[in-house]
Amino acid sequence: MKTKAWELKDIIMMAILGVVFSAVYLAVFDGGVMLSTLLTPTGLSNFSFEIIYGVWFMAATLAAYIIRKPGVALVTEMLASAIELLMGNSGGLTVVLTGAIQGAGAELVFALFRYKKWDLASMSLAGMLSAVFIFIYELFYLNYIELAPTMLMAQLAVRFVSAIVFSGVICKLAGDGLAKTGVVKSYAIGAKADTGKIYDEEDE
Amino acid sequence: MRSINPAIKFVSLLAMTFFLAYRFDPVLNFAVFFLSLVILIASGVGIKRLCLFMIPVLIVAAGMFFTGYRFSAGHSMPVTADAFLVSDSRWWNGLAQAGRVLAYGGLGFVFALTTDRLFLIRSFKDQFHLPQIFVYGLLAAWGIVPHMMQEYKRTRAAFRARGLSVLPVSPALLKPLLIKSVRWSEELAIAMESKGFSGHEKRTDYAPVKVRIRDFFFLAACVALMVAAAFLR
């Protein structure tokens, strides 16, 4: 990590991750909708989204894990949500705001670790704080406060597990896998990775 | 709708969404939803395309209705029996939850389906002073998207040619895609920086995006709608 300032390649990287994850978000959203259709008559359709909620925190943790600079988690999550909006998300304009809230949750955890600790624990915590942040927001915005408290506690618990699985475990594996291929060697994550000989069709 | 300044459109519709968030009024929500549908059709969005986008929204709305209906927290909504046909608190709760999803979805589509991406980024740069480095980064990333789609199709075809069947979201397809994207983004960044698009220098624009009178009219119309709704309901 030579510098904390963002370079053009960091921003393009964040935007690319934003594009990839906005596509993932939309696909997962439709999957969640199908799942919730099955649960609709029971009134438990909210849970179908809680199970996969961690997916929505992935852009922030993965980008931060790769680039490891302040602000990356927040901005990447916002970019992903903005692109998701433009691709036709059904949650409406506030999806950008939810992106900012989730990103802020993840960013806060990485900031508390002073952008020095990058492992499963810090990434899972980042996902969990995103979950808490967005849950508080939903209490008011989606009127969840009108729902029964036991239902809300159950929802939050499921969301925590989802956050750990998706934004913790899966993002760590994805980031490490990417580092092993050597393509991210100019970013902080790839600087220390043992890549061996790297094959590139054009040079070296 | 298409020619309205995207930055102004964004602020207006966002303000409207927040306005709705502080009002627990199904009738208003449903009205906003139908108004958005009318605007979308009037601005030339195909009916078939619209229906396709609406399917998930309607399903979520139905889900929220049943959630609100079944799991109503004890206290009732601020509503009098003679003001509405369905004044039962459970029905009301369900409708309130469903109406919100519909109204937010409608407003979101009004923005997403009538806004050009490049126009949006340029407008954010000129109206909200988005830093230049972001503008270049976003435009570059947007330019890579078609390549990514192409690469995805190519990898899929390569698997099919070898007689292997893979799921549409399988890691076997996503891994090469991600690696290629990262490589492209790096090459693109080097190319752009070498040509002076690093974002640190001050540059001028060929066609800056301006706020015109009709944009103010749109903003005024949105504010008027909110004020009217606040007084009437």
Side-chain angles (χ1 to χ4, degrees):
Chain A
M1 211 189 303
K2 277 166 268 171
T3 167
K4 290 272 186 193
W6 292 358
E7 292 163 49
L8 187 63
K9 71 177 166 100
D10 295 334
I11 290 176
I12 295 181
M13 178 72 163
M14 282 151 65
I16 293 264
L17 285 173
V19 171
V20 171
F21 276 102
S22 61
V24 170
Y25 290 173
L26 276 180
V28 169
F29 181 77
D30 287 340
V33 167
M34 282 205 281
L35 195 60
S36 76
T37 315
L38 299 175
L39 294 173
T40 294
T42 61
L44 288 170
S45 73
N46 269 358
F47 274 102
S48 59
F49 279 98
E50 300 301 336
I51 294 167
I52 51 172
Y53 217 107
V55 173
W56 274 273
F57 312 142
M58 284 174 82
T61 45
L62 184 59
Y65 187 53
I66 292 173
I67 301 172
R68 303 190 181 182
K69 287 181 182 173
V72 168
L74 175 63
V75 174
T76 307
E77 191 67 41
M78 283 176 76
L79 283 177
S81 58
I83 297 165
E84 189 188 358
L85 168 72
L86 290 174
M87 285 184 172
N89 160 280
S90 43
L93 286 156
T94 46
V95 74
V96 180
L97 189 74
T98 59
I101 293 170
Q102 291 168 2
E107 190 69 47
L108 188 63
V109 170
F110 292 132
L112 286 177
F113 286 118
R114 293 176 184 280
Y115 302 101
K116 287 207 173 102
K117 195 167 155 67
W118 301 99
D119 56 11
L120 195 58
S122 68
M123 288 168 77
S124 301
L125 268 177
M128 282 168 76
L129 203 66
S130 295
V132 173
F133 270 40
I134 198 66
F135 196 75
I136 294 170
Y137 164 80
E138 282 176 354
L139 275 182
F140 298 98
Y141 177 72
L142 285 180
N143 241 352
Y144 274 4
I145 211 154
E146 298 291 331
L147 302 175
T150 45
M151 171 89 171
L152 292 178
M153 291 311 290
Q155 281 194 1
L156 191 60
V158 176
R159 195 176 291 194
F160 274 157
V161 175
S162 175
I164 293 170
V165 170
F166 285 104
S167 66
V169 177
I170 294 181
C171 275
K172 176 101 167 59
L173 290 176
D176 290 344
L178 215 52
K180 220 175 270 171
T181 64
V183 285
V184 285
K185 62 179 185 290
S186 64
Y187 297 96
I189 186 182
K192 282 171 233 147
D194 180 23
T195 54
K197 190 162 164 37
I198 298 152
Y199 170 75
D200 191 322
E201 58 239 71
E202 283 125 24
D203 48 48
E204 282 152 279
Chain B
M1 268 319 259
R2 287 181 197 278
S3 62
I4 290 167
N5 184 301
I8 300 285
K9 192 164 29 171
F10 182 78
V11 171
S12 314
L13 294 178
L14 193 64
M16 219 133 124
T17 313
F18 277 118
F19 174 75
L20 290 179
Y22 285 100
R23 303 184 68 86
F24 311 103
D25 185 348
V27 181
L28 186 63
N29 283 336
F30 279 99
V32 168
F33 177 63
F34 286 115
L35 187 66
S36 334
L37 287 185
V38 171
I39 292 175
L40 280 168
I41 291 166
S43 44
V45 178
I47 304 271
K48 199 177 156 198
R49 189 157 167 243
L50 196 59
C51 291
L52 225 75
F53 275 115
M54 282 303 161
I55 293 171
V57 187
L58 291 176
I59 295 174
V60 173
M64 284 307 287
F65 172 77
F66 282 106
T67 305
Y69 184 75
R70 289 257 173 131
F71 296 92
S72 168
H75 54 101
S76 68
M77 306 295 287
V79 58
T80 52
D82 49 82
F84 295 96
L85 234 58
V86 273
S87 57
D88 182 71
S89 148
R90 279 151 70 87
W91 271 93
W92 180 262
N93 205 15
L95 279 178
Q97 300 277 7
R100 287 171 154 248
V101 174
L102 289 179
Y104 300 156
L107 289 177
F109 282 126
V110 166
F111 183 75
L113 299 183
T114 65
T115 307
D116 179 69
R117 278 93 169 132
L118 300 184
F119 191 29
L120 173 74
I121 297 172
R122 283 170 47 219
S123 161
F124 266 49
K125 171 180 172 288
D126 286 337
Q127 268 78 56
F128 292 161
H129 302 287
L130 186 71
Q132 219 159 20
I133 194 161
F134 273 103
V135 177
Y136 295 152
L138 286 174
L139 290 177
W142 199 251
I144 291 180
V145 174
H147 287 275
M148 290 167 76
M149 302 230 192
Q150 186 72 35
E151 184 63 30
Y152 179 79
K153 282 189 195 136
R154 199 179 296 155
T155 318
R156 237 181 141 180
F159 273 104
R160 205 174 300 138
R162 281 179 271 162
L164 300 170
S165 63
V166 283
L167 288 170
V169 286
S170 115
L173 288 176
L174 295 180
K175 197 179 160 195
L177 181 67
L178 208 56
I179 290 172
K180 280 269 165 96
S181 310
V182 172
R183 199 171 272 172
W184 283 328
S185 75
E186 234 185 311
E187 285 169 2
L188 198 60
I190 294 170
M192 285 170 77
E193 273 168 6
S194 69
K195 289 180 177 65
F197 288 96
S198 66
H200 298 302
E201 306 83 4
K202 189 102 182 100
R203 298 179 77 95
T204 52
D205 262 302
Y206 171 62
V209 180
K210 292 201 179 79
V211 182
R212 286 167 301 179
I213 309 222
R214 73 176 97 160
D215 303 324
F216 284 115
F217 273 125
F218 178 74
L219 185 63
C222 287
V223 173
L225 265 177
M226 284 189 271
V227 172
F231 275 107
L232 290 178
R233 299 213 52 91

